[in-house]
Amino acid sequence: MVKVVKFGGSSLASAEQFKKVYDIIKSDDARRYVVPSAPGKRFSDDTKVTDMLYECYAAASKGKDYKPVLDKIKERYNGIINELGLSISLDKEFDIMETCFVGKAGRDYAASRGEHLNGMVLADYLGYEFIDAAEVIFFDDNGNFDADKTDETLSARLANVEHAVIPGFYGSMPNDTIKTFSRGGSDVTGSIVAKAVKADLYENWTDVSGFLVADPRIIDNPKVIKTITYKELRELSYMGATVLHEDAIFPVRKEGIPINIKNTNAPEDEGTMIVESTSKKPDYTITGIAGKRGFITVNIEKAMMNSELGFGRKVLEEFEKNGISFEHMPSGIDTMSVLVHQAEFEAKEQEVLAGIHRNTHPDSIEIESDIALIAVVGRGMQATRGTAGRIFSALAHAHVNVKMIDQGSSELNIIIGVKDEDFEKALRAIYDIFVLVEI
Ligand code: ASP
């Protein structure tokens, strides 16, 4: 059994957290390859080392005073090293880093040092080999991740290595400069390493005990999702649920490697298993609920619209021309509505409306703003009658007016549009009816 374990920033924010990580790794022989993030926040208004590095680089590369931030960065690492009683010194690394910052080695290089240095400290603490991600993770000339080259090099490099620490978040370009993934990208590195070593499991250690059925900022103590499929996860993440970087799914999904989201602060909790498919029934009919605010609908009306060939295409073309992608498009016989992100639409509003008028000659166009979308997601809905009925009666009881309904053909999700002001009330009503009422 081989496990790749990735630890997020809060799991490695202090010496105390490092100790927990040590115990977790050493308690299971299968945990052979470790991917760390940079030290994250120790308390809520703390600053992540990655953010300090961006700030330090911005100052250094502009010839401004970067020393105070650099000192803070050094303090974070030296604090961890000293508290753990390690003998490793990062002084040489700090000197190289400083020279490169002043020499404008690039923002990505700067940010990558967070993981690089943390990886060196963790490798020393664990007594494992440190492998610089720049030597095994590659991007192509266009800055896209080079999956084939990486997989080949990384699997060969790790073939005879029993234990290793490979820092997350970055790799190298063909010209040897450093490039990072987008923020939170250590998740992606973990997934790439899991694929390369054909791991049985990719454990992603963070500070929550898995994906929650609903957003804890809205629902008190929501339940944890025990098992979720990649498709369900995609629906929920798209609608705003965040725990895992979206790109972390692709490498492992192709190989059928499950991801287990685990909590460094409560390692005995089972966490959430993310799998390709499963026969395990979800605890409730729904797997999760997520939502986003900030949409508008453009409602178009025209008599005999239904018999006009190409009407929908002409309308959507106007959005496309203006670089606006649409979310949903519910329609009636003589009406159609296009749901788009308010922020994207506002800047191009008049161009789009004029275009629709010119090309489709509608009877009227009305805009309704401040719409929120809620996605109710669950593989369990396919086999269960009455799910939609329960959602809508719960919403009616909560006095929430439904503006739009959209059920995907997969029956994996039901999307509901409500007024922004009803958003939280609607989420609570749906959560209650499925999770609190259902047993
Ligand atoms: N340290 C990077 C960030 O803060 C990457 C990561 O933590 O995954 O975004």
Side-chain angles (χ1 to χ4, degrees), residues 43-101:
F43 37 87
S44 64
D45 52 3
D46 197 13
T47 312
K48 290 180 173 190
V49 165
T50 309
D51 292 316
M52 293 201 272
L53 287 163
Y54 281 126
E55 192 190 332
C56 185
Y57 181 73
S61 60
K62 283 185 203 120
K64 292 192 184 145
D65 184 14
Y66 59 87
K67 299 264 189 199
V69 200
L70 183 62
D71 285 344
K72 275 196 214 151
I73 296 168
K74 290 182 183 176
E75 255 172 54
R76 287 290 301 265
Y77 287 104
N78 288 336
I80 294 171
I81 292 171
N82 294 337
E83 256 188 78
L84 293 177
L86 303 176
S87 53
I88 184 177
S89 162
L90 295 179
D91 289 349
K92 238 172 62 197
E93 299 294 325
F94 289 141
D95 288 344
I96 300 172
M97 188 172 101
E98 187 171 350
T99 314
C100 291
F101 279 20

Coordinates of all heavy atoms in Angstrom, one line a residue, residues 43-101:
F43 N -3.3 31.8 13.2 CA -4.5 32.3 13.8 C -5.2 33.2 12.7 O -4.6 33.5 11.7 CB -4.2 33.2 15.1 CG -3.0 34.0 15.0 CD1 -3.0 35.3 14.4 CD2 -1.7 33.5 15.4 CE1 -1.8 36.0 14.3 CE2 -0.6 34.2 15.2 CZ -0.6 35.5 14.7
S44 N -6.5 33.6 13.0 CA -7.2 34.1 11.8 C -6.7 35.3 11.2 O -6.7 35.5 10.0 CB -8.7 34.2 12.2 OG -8.8 35.2 13.2
D45 N -6.1 36.3 11.9 CA -5.5 37.4 11.2 C -4.0 37.4 11.0 O -3.4 38.4 10.8 CB -6.0 38.8 11.7 CG -5.8 38.9 13.2 OD1 -5.2 38.0 13.8 OD2 -6.2 39.9 13.8
D46 N -3.5 36.2 11.0 CA -2.1 35.9 10.7 C -1.9 36.1 9.2 O -2.9 36.1 8.4 CB -1.7 34.5 11.2 CG -0.2 34.3 11.2 OD1 0.6 35.3 11.2 OD2 0.3 33.2 11.4
T47 N -0.6 36.2 8.7 CA -0.4 36.2 7.3 C 0.3 35.0 6.8 O 1.3 34.5 7.5 CB 0.5 37.5 7.0 OG1 0.0 38.6 7.6 CG2 0.6 37.7 5.5
K48 N -0.1 34.5 5.7 CA 0.5 33.3 5.1 C 1.9 33.6 4.6 O 2.1 34.7 4.0 CB -0.3 32.8 3.9 CG -1.6 32.2 4.2 CD -2.2 31.8 2.8 CE -3.5 31.0 3.0 NZ -4.0 30.4 1.8
V49 N 2.8 32.7 4.7 CA 4.2 33.0 4.2 C 4.1 33.3 2.7 O 4.8 34.2 2.2 CB 5.1 31.8 4.5 CG1 6.4 31.9 3.7 CG2 5.5 31.8 6.0
T50 N 3.3 32.6 2.0 CA 3.2 32.9 0.5 C 2.8 34.4 0.3 O 3.4 35.0 -0.6 CB 2.1 32.0 -0.1 OG1 2.3 30.6 0.3 CG2 2.1 32.1 -1.6
D51 N 1.9 34.9 1.0 CA 1.6 36.3 0.8 C 2.7 37.2 1.2 O 2.9 38.3 0.6 CB 0.3 36.6 1.7 CG -0.9 35.9 1.1 OD1 -1.1 36.0 -0.1 OD2 -1.7 35.4 1.9
M52 N 3.5 36.9 2.3 CA 4.6 37.7 2.6 C 5.7 37.6 1.5 O 6.3 38.6 1.3 CB 5.2 37.2 4.0 CG 4.3 37.3 5.1 SD 5.2 37.3 6.7 CE 5.2 35.6 7.1
L53 N 5.8 36.5 0.9 CA 6.8 36.4 -0.2 C 6.4 37.3 -1.4 O 7.3 37.9 -2.0 CB 6.9 34.9 -0.6 CG 7.7 34.0 0.4 CD1 7.4 32.5 0.1 CD2 9.2 34.3 0.3
Y54 N 5.2 37.3 -1.7 CA 4.7 38.1 -2.8 C 5.0 39.6 -2.5 O 5.5 40.4 -3.3 CB 3.2 38.0 -3.0 CG 2.8 36.8 -3.8 CD1 1.8 35.9 -3.3 CD2 3.3 36.5 -5.1 CE1 1.4 34.8 -4.1 CE2 2.9 35.4 -5.8 CZ 2.0 34.5 -5.3 OH 1.6 33.4 -6.1
E55 N 4.7 40.0 -1.2 CA 4.9 41.3 -0.8 C 6.4 41.7 -0.8 O 6.8 42.8 -1.3 CB 4.4 41.5 0.7 CG 4.3 42.9 1.2 CD 3.9 42.9 2.7 OE1 3.3 42.0 3.2 OE2 4.3 43.9 3.3
C56 N 7.2 40.8 -0.3 CA 8.7 41.0 -0.2 C 9.2 41.2 -1.6 O 10.0 42.1 -1.9 CB 9.3 39.8 0.5 SG 11.0 40.0 0.8
Y57 N 8.8 40.3 -2.5 CA 9.3 40.4 -3.9 C 8.9 41.7 -4.6 O 9.7 42.3 -5.3 CB 8.8 39.2 -4.7 CG 9.3 39.2 -6.1 CD1 10.7 38.9 -6.4 CD2 8.5 39.6 -7.2 CE1 11.2 39.0 -7.7 CE2 9.0 39.7 -8.5 CZ 10.4 39.3 -8.7 OH 10.9 39.4 -10.0
A58 N 7.6 42.1 -4.4 CA 7.2 43.3 -5.0 C 8.1 44.5 -4.6 O 8.5 45.3 -5.4 CB 5.7 43.6 -4.6
A59 N 8.4 44.5 -3.3 CA 9.3 45.6 -2.8 C 10.7 45.5 -3.4 O 11.2 46.4 -3.9 CB 9.3 45.6 -1.3
A60 N 11.3 44.3 -3.2 CA 12.7 44.1 -3.7 C 12.8 44.3 -5.2 O 13.8 45.0 -5.6 CB 13.1 42.7 -3.3
S61 N 11.9 43.9 -6.0 CA 12.0 44.0 -7.4 C 11.8 45.5 -7.9 O 12.2 45.8 -9.0 CB 11.1 43.1 -8.2 OG 9.8 43.4 -7.8
K62 N 11.2 46.3 -7.0 CA 11.0 47.7 -7.3 C 12.1 48.6 -6.7 O 11.9 49.8 -6.6 CB 9.6 48.1 -6.9 CG 8.6 47.6 -7.9 CD 7.2 48.2 -7.4 CE 6.1 47.4 -7.9 NZ 5.2 46.8 -6.9
G63 N 13.0 48.0 -6.0 CA 14.1 48.7 -5.4 C 13.6 49.4 -4.1 O 14.3 50.3 -3.5
K64 N 12.5 48.9 -3.5 CA 12.0 49.5 -2.2 C 12.6 48.6 -1.1 O 13.2 47.6 -1.3 CB 10.5 49.5 -2.2 CG 9.9 50.4 -3.2 CD 8.4 50.6 -3.0 CE 7.8 51.5 -4.0 NZ 6.4 51.0 -4.3
D65 N 12.2 49.1 0.1 CA 12.8 48.4 1.3 C 12.0 47.1 1.6 O 10.8 47.1 2.0 CB 12.6 49.3 2.5 CG 13.2 48.7 3.8 OD1 14.0 47.7 3.6 OD2 13.0 49.2 4.9
Y66 N 12.7 46.0 1.4 CA 12.0 44.7 1.5 C 12.4 44.0 2.8 O 11.9 43.0 3.2 CB 12.3 43.8 0.3 CG 13.8 43.6 0.2 CD1 14.5 42.6 0.9 CD2 14.6 44.4 -0.6 CE1 15.8 42.4 0.7 CE2 16.0 44.3 -0.7 CZ 16.6 43.2 -0.1 OH 17.9 43.1 -0.1
K67 N 13.4 44.6 3.5 CA 14.1 43.9 4.6 C 13.1 43.5 5.7 O 13.1 42.4 6.2 CB 15.2 44.7 5.2 CG 16.4 45.0 4.2 CD 17.5 44.0 4.3 CE 18.7 44.4 3.5 NZ 19.6 43.3 3.2
P68 N 12.2 44.4 6.1 CA 11.3 44.1 7.2 C 10.5 42.8 6.9 O 10.3 42.0 7.8 CB 10.4 45.3 7.4 CG 11.2 46.4 6.8 CD 12.0 45.8 5.7
V69 N 9.9 42.7 5.7 CA 9.1 41.5 5.4 C 10.0 40.3 5.3 O 9.7 39.2 5.8 CB 8.4 41.6 4.0 CG1 7.3 40.7 3.9 CG2 8.0 43.1 3.8
L70 N 11.2 40.5 4.7 CA 12.1 39.3 4.7 C 12.5 38.8 6.1 O 12.5 37.6 6.3 CB 13.4 39.8 3.9 CG 14.4 38.6 3.7 CD1 13.8 37.5 2.8 CD2 15.7 39.2 3.0
D71 N 12.7 39.7 7.0 CA 13.0 39.3 8.3 C 11.8 38.5 8.9 O 12.0 37.5 9.7 CB 13.3 40.5 9.2 CG 14.7 41.1 8.9 OD1 15.5 40.4 8.3 OD2 14.9 42.3 9.3
K72 N 10.6 39.0 8.7 CA 9.4 38.2 9.2 C 9.4 36.8 8.6 O 9.0 35.9 9.3 CB 8.2 39.0 8.8 CG 7.8 40.1 9.8 CD 6.4 40.5 9.6 CE 6.2 42.0 9.9 NZ 5.1 42.6 9.1
I73 N 9.7 36.7 7.3 CA 9.7 35.4 6.7 C 10.7 34.5 7.4 O 10.4 33.3 7.7 CB 10.0 35.5 5.2 CG1 8.8 36.3 4.5 CG2 10.1 34.1 4.5 CD1 9.1 36.7 3.1
K74 N 11.9 35.0 7.5 CA 13.0 34.3 8.2 C 12.6 33.8 9.6 O 12.8 32.7 10.0 CB 14.3 35.1 8.3 CG 15.0 35.3 6.9 CD 16.2 36.1 7.2 CE 16.9 36.5 5.9 NZ 18.1 37.4 6.0
E75 N 11.9 34.7 10.3 CA 11.5 34.4 11.6 C 10.5 33.2 11.7 O 10.6 32.4 12.6 CB 10.7 35.6 12.2 CG 11.5 36.5 13.2 CD 10.6 37.7 13.5 OE1 9.4 37.6 13.8 OE2 11.2 38.8 13.3
R76 N 9.6 33.2 10.7 CA 8.7 32.1 10.7 C 9.4 30.7 10.6 O 9.1 29.8 11.3 CB 7.7 32.2 9.5 CG 6.6 33.3 9.5 CD 5.5 33.0 10.6 NE 4.8 31.8 10.4 CZ 3.6 31.7 9.8 NH1 3.1 32.8 9.2 NH2 2.9 30.6 9.7
Y77 N 10.3 30.7 9.6 CA 11.0 29.4 9.5 C 12.0 29.1 10.7 O 12.0 28.0 11.2 CB 11.8 29.4 8.2 CG 10.9 29.3 6.9 CD1 10.7 30.4 6.2 CD2 10.3 28.1 6.6 CE1 9.8 30.3 5.0 CE2 9.5 27.9 5.5 CZ 9.3 29.0 4.7 OH 8.4 28.9 3.6
N78 N 12.7 30.1 11.1 CA 13.7 29.9 12.2 C 12.9 29.5 13.4 O 13.4 28.7 14.2 CB 14.6 31.1 12.3 CG 15.6 31.2 11.2 OD1 15.9 30.2 10.6 ND2 16.1 32.4 10.9
G79 N 11.8 30.1 13.6 CA 10.9 29.8 14.8 C 10.6 28.3 14.8 O 10.7 27.6 15.8
I80 N 10.2 27.8 13.7 CA 9.8 26.4 13.6 C 11.0 25.5 13.8 O 11.0 24.5 14.6 CB 9.2 26.1 12.2 CG1 7.8 26.8 12.0 CG2 9.0 24.6 12.0 CD1 7.2 26.8 10.6
I81 N 12.1 25.8 13.1 CA 13.4 25.0 13.3 C 13.8 25.0 14.7 O 14.1 23.9 15.2 CB 14.5 25.7 12.4 CG1 14.1 25.5 10.9 CG2 15.9 25.0 12.7 CD1 15.0 26.2 9.9
N82 N 13.9 26.1 15.4 CA 14.3 26.2 16.7 C 13.4 25.4 17.7 O 13.9 24.7 18.5 CB 14.5 27.6 17.2 CG 15.6 28.3 16.4 OD1 16.5 27.6 15.9 ND2 15.5 29.6 16.3
E83 N 12.1 25.6 17.5 CA 11.2 25.0 18.4 C 11.2 23.5 18.3 O 10.9 22.7 19.2 CB 9.8 25.5 18.2 CG 9.3 26.5 19.2 CD 7.9 26.8 19.1 OE1 7.0 26.0 19.5 OE2 7.6 27.9 18.5
L84 N 11.5 23.0 17.1 CA 11.6 21.6 16.9 C 12.9 21.0 17.3 O 13.2 19.8 17.2 CB 11.3 21.2 15.4 CG 9.9 21.5 14.9 CD1 9.7 21.2 13.4 CD2 8.8 20.7 15.7
G85 N 13.9 21.9 17.6 CA 15.2 21.5 18.0 C 16.0 20.9 16.8 O 16.9 20.0 17.0
L86 N 15.8 21.4 15.6 CA 16.5 20.8 14.4 C 17.8 21.6 14.2 O 17.9 22.7 14.7 CB 15.6 21.0 13.2 CG 14.3 20.3 13.2 CD1 13.5 20.7 11.9 CD2 14.4 18.8 13.3
S87 N 18.7 20.9 13.6 CA 20.0 21.6 13.4 C 20.2 22.2 12.0 O 21.2 22.9 11.7 CB 21.2 20.6 13.6 OG 21.0 19.5 12.8
I88 N 19.2 22.0 11.1 CA 19.3 22.6 9.8 C 19.3 24.1 9.8 O 18.7 24.7 10.7 CB 18.0 22.1 8.9 CG1 18.2 22.5 7.5 CG2 16.7 22.5 9.5 CD1 17.0 22.0 6.6
S89 N 20.1 24.7 8.9 CA 20.1 26.2 8.8 C 19.7 26.5 7.4 O 20.1 26.0 6.4 CB 21.5 26.7 9.1 OG 21.6 28.0 8.6
L90 N 18.8 27.5 7.3 CA 18.3 28.0 5.9 C 19.1 29.2 5.5 O 18.7 29.8 4.5 CB 16.8 28.2 6.0 CG 15.9 27.0 6.2 CD1 14.4 27.5 6.2 CD2 16.1 26.0 5.1
D91 N 20.1 29.6 6.3 CA 20.8 30.9 6.0 C 21.2 31.0 4.6 O 21.1 32.1 3.9 CB 21.9 31.1 7.0 CG 21.4 31.4 8.4 OD1 20.2 31.6 8.5 OD2 22.3 31.4 9.3
K92 N 21.8 30.0 4.1 CA 22.4 30.0 2.7 C 21.2 30.2 1.7 O 21.3 31.0 0.7 CB 23.1 28.7 2.4 CG 24.5 29.0 1.9 CD 25.4 27.7 1.8 CE 24.9 26.8 0.7 NZ 25.4 25.4 0.9
E93 N 20.1 29.5 2.0 CA 18.9 29.6 1.1 C 18.4 31.0 1.1 O 17.9 31.5 0.1 CB 17.8 28.6 1.6 CG 18.2 27.2 1.6 CD 18.4 26.6 0.2 OE1 17.7 27.1 -0.7 OE2 19.3 25.8 0.0
F94 N 18.3 31.6 2.3 CA 17.8 33.0 2.4 C 18.6 33.9 1.6 O 18.1 34.8 1.0 CB 17.8 33.4 3.9 CG 16.7 32.7 4.8 CD1 17.0 32.3 6.1 CD2 15.4 32.5 4.3 CE1 16.0 31.7 6.9 CE2 14.5 31.8 5.0 CZ 14.8 31.5 6.3
D95 N 20.0 33.7 1.7 CA 20.9 34.6 0.9 C 20.6 34.5 -0.6 O 20.5 35.5 -1.3 CB 22.3 34.3 1.2 CG 22.7 34.7 2.6 OD1 22.0 35.5 3.2 OD2 23.8 34.2 3.1
I96 N 20.5 33.3 -1.1 CA 20.2 33.1 -2.5 C 18.9 33.7 -2.9 O 18.8 34.4 -3.9 CB 20.2 31.5 -2.8 CG1 21.5 30.9 -2.5 CG2 19.8 31.3 -4.3 CD1 21.5 29.3 -2.6
M97 N 17.9 33.5 -2.0 CA 16.6 34.0 -2.3 C 16.6 35.5 -2.4 O 16.1 36.1 -3.3 CB 15.7 33.6 -1.1 CG 14.2 33.8 -1.3 SD 13.3 33.0 0.1 CE 13.1 34.4 1.1
E98 N 17.3 36.2 -1.4 CA 17.4 37.6 -1.4 C 18.0 38.1 -2.7 O 17.5 39.1 -3.3 CB 18.2 38.1 -0.2 CG 18.2 39.6 0.0 CD 18.8 40.0 1.3 OE1 19.0 39.2 2.2 OE2 19.0 41.2 1.5
T99 N 19.1 37.5 -3.1 CA 19.8 38.0 -4.3 C 18.9 37.8 -5.5 O 18.8 38.7 -6.4 CB 21.1 37.1 -4.6 OG1 21.8 37.0 -3.4 CG2 22.0 37.6 -5.7
C100 N 18.2 36.7 -5.6 CA 17.3 36.5 -6.7 C 16.1 37.5 -6.7 O 15.6 37.9 -7.8 CB 16.7 35.0 -6.7 SG 18.0 33.8 -7.0
F101 N 15.6 37.8 -5.5 CA 14.5 38.8 -5.4 C 15.0 40.1 -6.0 O 14.3 40.7 -6.9 CB 14.1 39.0 -4.0 CG 13.1 37.9 -3.5 CD1 13.1 36.7 -4.1 CD2 12.3 38.2 -2.4 CE1 12.2 35.7 -3.6 CE2 11.4 37.2 -1.9 CZ 11.4 36.0 -2.5

